[in-house]
Amino acid sequence: MSTTTIIKTPKHTLSVLVKHNLNTLSRIIGIFSAKGFELDSVTFASEAEPGMARLTITTRGDERTVEQINKHLHNVVDVLKVTNLTHKKCIERELAIVKVSTAKVGRPEIMLIAQAFKAKVIDITSDKLALEVTGNTDKVDAMIEVLRPYGIIAMSRTGSIALKREFQGAVNIN
Amino acid sequence: MSLKSVKKAAMPDTQTFNGAEILIKTLADLDVDTIFGYPGGAVLPIYDSLFDNHDLKHVLIRHEQAGTHAADGYARATGKPGVVLATSGPGGTNTVTGIATAMMDSIPLVVLTGQVPTSVIGNDAFQEADIVGITRPITKQNYLVRDVNELEDVLREAFHIATNGRPGPVLVDLPKDMLNTTGNYKCNDKVDIPSFKPTLHGHQPQIAKAAKMLSEAKKPLIYVGGGAISGEAWKEVTAFAERLNVPVTTTLMGLGAFPESRPQSLGMLGMHGTWYANMAMTECDVLLAVGARFDDRVTGRLNGFSQKSRKIHIDIDPSCIGKNVDVEIPIVGDVKRVIPAIDKLAKPPEISEWWDTIHSWQKEHPLVVPRGDDKIYPQHMVKMISEVTGGNAIVVTDVGQHQMWAAQHYKFNHPRSWISSGGLGTMGYGFPAAMGAALACPDRDVVCITGDGGFQMSSYELATAVEYKIPVKIALMNNNCLGMVRQWQQLFYKNRTSYSVFGSNNPDFVKMAESYGAVGMRATNPEEMREVLNKAMKIKDAPVLMDFQVVETENCYPMVPSGAALDEMVESDEEANKG
Ligand SMILES: Cc1ncc(C[n+]2csc(CCOP(=O)(O)OP(=O)(O)O)c2C)c(N)n1
Ligand SMILES: [Mg+2]
């Protein structure tokens, strides 16, 4: 799939409450590969409630595709709840660690960029900096794009996690 | 908290047994009367418990794939879940085709597989296979039971999931050491799975809208799928369609959900459906889909499918709705409950003109049964079986031309009487599935209409059928070729019949049957065929193989060529060759 189509297909964030077992996790991932749905990122971790876990899945597709994904997820026996956060007010965060080269422009310029994104410097060597940034995925994407020309040596992203905001007033559905 | 205290109060009943015994006890609690199995190292503890258990009938099949098909046939004939037992490794992997077949057709199965001891799982131990991983995409749910104290609950959950909502296969993997360990048997029949609560009652406003749309239709059509069979809704569907006097077409999986003797029946639709059913689908203005899934064999080319209709779709599985075709009124629910709810509100629509059109299609394009004095046409073979059995047999098929002719020419008037691998199209399915159906329904005639290709994929089960005196009537439509493949090669590959013709390389099927101790008979003309059939129907204590040598060159019509729309079907070789 070409990059232009990827940009055009809308992004969706699904929050899925499941029984904590690897069979369930594999079943869910299996749906995406078997049915040919896209999967941008997925996180899986224990819930506050013992024995439960939550997946945050970001995927792309038109409304119909996302509706199908939703229904297939519901059909997995150990899935308790699927919430589509796309049109809801939600708190979304992603964390990334980016190692960037300082060889071309020196440290100060990179640190200025880091400051602009409220990123923390977490490691320094003679020719690289490691930055830690949190924010919604768009912000993380933006910082990475700004840093790319300087030479990204390595990076690691958590993928997005999200929860619905308690206060849903004044939501603009569209 | 209250649930927990109830469980505690029941504790005095708790007894201890080893895993294998808990398994047998729980199967008995769940009303399992028959299991289809094959022994091996990992399941020896279970076989030891079976040794002196005479309540549970264990049928020793000759291959685990056939065992899975037999359990599937048992399930389709009764609605009860079929149960299979196989050993670890190759035993489990042999069940895979059978599980996939059941998954595609929503058939309730519980597959029990042995597994290597928990201490060596993951070590590539002898006969170890990750059967839970292998079957994940082809089961509704599956489990590996490491703790014997969870065994009873898991089994009860497995049966509950296999049979509720949209049915399907469930696999339970049983490590050998767990089967040998002593644990608690609570005899606790409560199953509560908070994450598994199928929607049964349709949404009332949607039901009201559907009733109104149907009452006002000028050219309505009811399209009934396998969901009406698995949902046991045939009475409701029949009463509803008759009261409204609306035409009904069924899918391959829905055959028998509406009696073909009724004037509203248009028979089957789809790739090899009747001319008039496919035309009705193309021309209708309101389409009510009942437990059907708009499969590509039914719709033909999607952008030419029923373009003039407003669509209502009832299904218990929401993921079936809107998957292939957009619908205006989706109703998620149990057809057995939703149909009567629509029936309450709907008025019979005013559709005499629509019936006139349909009757003229039926007159101009009937299903054709060619006949010869000295040769057996395959269509005639099915027609004669239909007559000799009075339309009351359970008909089980393999996959190919004979399957489509059986679907077209047998007059189905009863539910759970048509057993065929629709979704996966599994050759080799027919004969073992017929054995399962015959064991489940000893009072009914079971006819397996099979092909010379498909039968050879599970002919070894003759040994099982003879051993257990299973009186399946095998009607082998012998055209000495993989007929359906040859048909496609003729039509779409310029008659280059690559590796699809057996010619004289088929075995002597009569001798084959006899060598197993079954009855074998042959017919080469219609007179012999009637004689053989009459003789066969009287045999009640052994399988009978009837080798019907049919006209080898016949092709199955009508046919919607792949990629064509439903109304672009062809009715003869000549017409097909023109296109
Ligand atoms: C296991 C399997 N392999 C291959 C096929 C593809 N296939 C579909 S129909 C058919 C021919 C079946 O021949 P036969 O059983 O003689 O039936 P006929 O069409 O001649 O009636 C084949 C090979 C299949 N459906 N299943
Ligand atoms: Mg054949």
Side-chain angles (χ1 to χ4, degrees):
Chain A
M1 185 165 274
S2 73
T3 20
T4 41
T5 28
I6 288 178
I7 287 161
K8 267 185 202 154
T9 17
K11 191 185 106 176
H12 295 262
T13 306
L14 304 174
S15 179
V16 190
L17 185 63
V18 301
K19 263 204 210 162
H20 194 315
N21 67 57
L22 289 181
N23 197 17
T24 308
L25 176 62
S26 301
R27 273 186 184 272
I28 289 174
I29 302 304
I31 287 171
F32 282 81
S33 60
K35 311 270 172 192
F37 298 134
E38 288 192 37
L39 188 57
D40 269 10
S41 76
V42 56
T43 67
F44 175 76
S46 298
E47 262 292 282
E49 196 184 334
M52 305 300 294
R54 184 178 299 279
L55 284 109
T56 308
I57 293 171
T58 52
T59 178
R60 288 170 193 280
D62 53 20
E63 287 295 328
R64 187 182 167 146
T65 308
V66 173
E67 180 68 28
Q68 275 308 121
I69 294 174
N70 202 334
K71 288 171 176 174
H72 281 292
L73 291 175
H74 267 293
N75 274 355
V76 176
V77 170
D78 285 336
V79 166
L80 264 103
K81 198 166 182 220
V82 183
T83 317
N84 187 342
L85 296 174
T86 313
H87 299 312
K88 296 226 162 68
K89 282 219 161 163
C90 62
I91 324 151
E92 185 206 350
R93 285 295 178 272
E94 178 170 4
L95 185 146
I97 299 173
V98 187
K99 269 191 200 161
V100 61
S101 161
T102 51
K104 271 192 220 161
V105 289
R107 256 176 229 144
E109 183 162 345
I110 304 291
M111 289 179 72
L112 265 173
I113 295 169
Q115 230 171 39
F117 285 98
K118 297 204 172 76
K120 271 195 262 173
V121 176
I122 53 174
D123 195 18
I124 299 188
T125 56
S126 57
D127 57 350
K128 329 182 193 23
L129 277 182
L131 303 178
E132 172 198 308
V133 63
T134 37
N136 62 29
T137 296
D138 286 347
K139 174 182 162 186
V140 175
D141 282 345
M143 189 181 92
I144 289 166
E145 284 319 306
V146 173
L147 292 176
R148 197 180 295 282
Y150 301 102
I152 293 178
I153 289 142
M155 74 179 179
S156 178
R157 301 177 66 157
T158 58
S160 163
I161 53 168
L163 284 178
K164 203 174 79 179
R165 273 192 196 281
E166 282 311 307
F167 179 68
Q168 287 284 311
V171 178
N172 183 355
I173 300 281
N174 294 315
Chain B
M1 280 317 279
S2 61
L3 253 181
K4 272 199 184 141
S5 51
V6 171
K7 270 197 179 162
K8 278 238 172 78
M11 280 300 264
D13 289 347
T14 302
Q15 295 171 282
T16 56
F17 297 99
N18 75 22
E21 286 159 349
I22 292 175
L23 171 74
I24 304 294
K25 284 193 179 303
T26 311
L27 292 181
D29 291 348
L30 291 162
D31 282 333
V32 175
D33 51 26
T34 310
I35 63 176
F36 299 88
Y38 207 88
V43 287
L44 284 178
I46 302 172
Y47 276 85
D48 194 55
S49 303
L50 285 170
F51 187 67
D52 42 19
N53 180 307
H54 303 288
D55 303 329
L56 185 61
K57 176 169 185 169
H58 172 282
V59 178
L60 178 67
I61 37 71
R62 298 306 195 259
H63 189 296
E64 293 87 349
Q65 179 182 340
T68 319
H69 292 326
D72 170 311
Y74 175 100
R76 293 191 206 219
T78 57
K80 286 172 60 176
V83 184
V84 190
L85 172 59
T87 192
S88 67
T93 54
N94 272 350
T95 66
V96 165
T97 302
I99 297 174
T101 303
M103 183 72 175
M104 284 290 265
D105 288 345
S106 310
I107 305 304
L109 283 189
V110 175
V111 181
L112 306 167
T113 49
Q115 183 55 277
V116 299
T118 45
S119 56
V120 293
I121 288 181
N123 289 5
D124 295 335
F126 178 63
Q127 295 197 325
E128 178 181 1
D130 175 13
I131 200 68
V132 167
I134 290 169
T135 59
R136 198 173 282 128
I138 52 168
T139 49
K140 191 170 168 188
Q141 174 69 310
N142 57 11
Y143 306 85
L144 168 65
V145 184
R146 289 172 179 271
D147 178 355
V148 66
N149 290 313
E150 288 175 3
L151 178 60
E152 182 188 346
D153 288 344
V154 167
L155 287 168
R156 291 180 190 278
E157 197 173 304
F159 277 78
H160 180 82
I161 288 168
T163 48
N164 283 276
R166 182 180 180 180
V170 177
L171 181 138
V172 185
D173 201 18
L174 308 163
K176 186 172 185 179
D177 57 330
M178 184 280 291
L179 292 169
N180 283 327
T181 306
T182 303
N184 292 330
Y185 167 69
K186 298 164 288 193
C187 195
N188 168 27
D189 62 4
K190 302 240 166 10
V191 177
D192 181 40
I193 314 167
S195 57
F196 180 72
K197 301 268 189 255
T199 310
L200 299 177
H201 298 278
H203 188 54
Q204 193 57 36
Q206 296 287 85
I207 287 170
K209 268 202 257 171
K212 182 161 184 289
M213 191 185 280
L214 271 168
S215 309
E216 292 167 0
K218 295 273 172 285
K219 300 175 180 178
L221 178 66
I222 302 177
Y223 147 56
V224 181
I229 305 276
S230 58
E232 316 231 295
W234 47 84
K235 274 205 195 105
E236 290 74 9
V237 169
T238 305
F240 173 63
E242 283 197 304
R243 188 179 74 79
L244 262 63
N245 190 30
V246 168
V248 179
T249 179
T250 64
T251 66
L252 185 77
M253 294 305 298
L255 287 173
F258 186 81
E260 296 191 7
S261 56
R262 306 292 157 95
Q264 289 85 8
S265 170
L266 306 186
M268 182 177 76
L269 86 164
M271 182 171 267
H272 290 289
T274 63
W275 173 277
Y276 32 95
N278 284 342
M279 288 308 292
M281 182 53 97
T282 306
E283 292 300 321
C284 66
D285 67 350
V286 171
L287 177 65
L288 173 66
V290 182
R293 60 186 175 93
F294 295 90
D295 173 84
D296 55 277
R297 284 291 184 271
V298 157
T299 61
R301 178 161 41 78
L302 267 180
N303 63 8
F305 173 73
S306 200
Q307 297 288 295
K308 299 166 193 167
S309 63
R310 302 172 72 186
K311 297 176 183 71
I312 307 160
H313 189 177
I314 312 168
D315 207 293
I316 197 151
D317 179 357
S319 74
C320 271
I321 300 182
K323 182 174 63 177
N324 299 331
V325 169
D326 283 325
V327 294
E328 187 173 330
I329 308 182
I331 305 176
V332 177
D334 175 14
V335 284
K336 196 177 173 68
R337 295 169 211 234
V338 175
I339 289 288
I342 299 179
D343 200 1
K344 245 191 210 158
L345 304 175
K347 287 194 302 274
E350 194 35 70
I351 57 167
S352 51
E353 272 179 45
W354 177 227
W355 271 119
D356 291 344
T357 312
I358 291 173
H359 290 145
S360 66
W361 285 333
Q362 286 176 319
K363 222 188 259 154
E364 286 157 27
H365 298 274
L367 279 175
V368 190
V369 180
R371 283 165 205 246
D373 288 340
D374 57 348
K375 47 189 171 191
I376 302 174
Y377 279 94
Q379 300 90 328
H380 190 193
M381 170 185 151
V382 176
K383 180 112 188 178
M384 198 179 279
I385 295 172
S386 187
E387 285 163 16
V388 168
T389 58
N392 293 320
I394 296 178
V395 175
V396 189
T397 75
D398 246 275
V399 174
Q401 288 184 318
H402 65 276
Q403 177 191 31
M404 293 300 131
W405 279 316
Q408 290 177 338
H409 297 285
Y410 196 94
K411 288 291 154 257
F412 291 98
N413 291 319
H414 309 288
R416 299 205 180 283
S417 299
W418 162 254
I419 296 182
S420 190
S421 167
L424 199 67
T426 308
M427 281 173 74
Y429 170 82
F431 178 42
M435 293 196 321
L439 283 167
C441 307
D443 303 332
R444 304 226 9 223
D445 288 324
V446 177
V447 180
C448 169
I449 299 180
T450 183
D452 48 314
F455 181 66
Q456 288 186 72
M457 287 201 180
S458 41
S459 56
Y460 50 82
E461 287 299 329
L462 277 166
T464 313
V466 169
E467 179 182 343
Y468 293 88
K469 301 188 176 15
I470 308 172
V472 169
K473 317 292 184 271
I474 305 161
L476 198 149
M477 188 182 281
N478 191 350
N479 53 8
N480 289 315
C481 64
L482 300 170
M484 189 57 95
V485 172
R486 193 216 51 207
Q487 174 166 350
W488 280 56
Q489 289 171 334
Q490 284 182 344
L491 300 182
F492 311 122
Y493 293 89
K494 304 195 175 115
N495 205 13
R496 289 154 57 89
T497 52
S498 179
Y499 297 101
S500 58
V501 179
F502 293 128
S504 58
N505 296 313
N506 266 332
D508 180 331
F509 288 105
V510 172
K511 278 194 192 149
M512 181 197 243
E514 287 169 353
S515 84
Y516 280 99
V519 180
M521 293 188 272
R522 180 170 290 124
T524 56
N525 62 49
E527 206 185 301
E528 286 174 9
M529 176 162 70
R530 190 174 294 276
E531 240 168 69
V532 164
L533 272 171
N534 283 332
K535 259 193 218 157
M537 296 316 290
K538 294 202 185 84
I539 299 171
K540 303 287 180 198
D541 58 354
V544 186
L545 187 147
M546 298 169 281
D547 179 9
F548 292 137
Q549 310 238 322
V550 299
V551 177
E552 296 179 3
T553 50
E554 270 301 292
N555 283 335
C556 185
Y557 295 106
M559 178 184 195
V560 180
S562 60
L566 279 190
D567 60 345
E568 293 163 4
M569 67 206 125
V570 289
E571 288 181 290
S572 65
D573 284 339
E574 296 76 53
E575 210 184 321
N577 289 332
K578 258 191 293 175

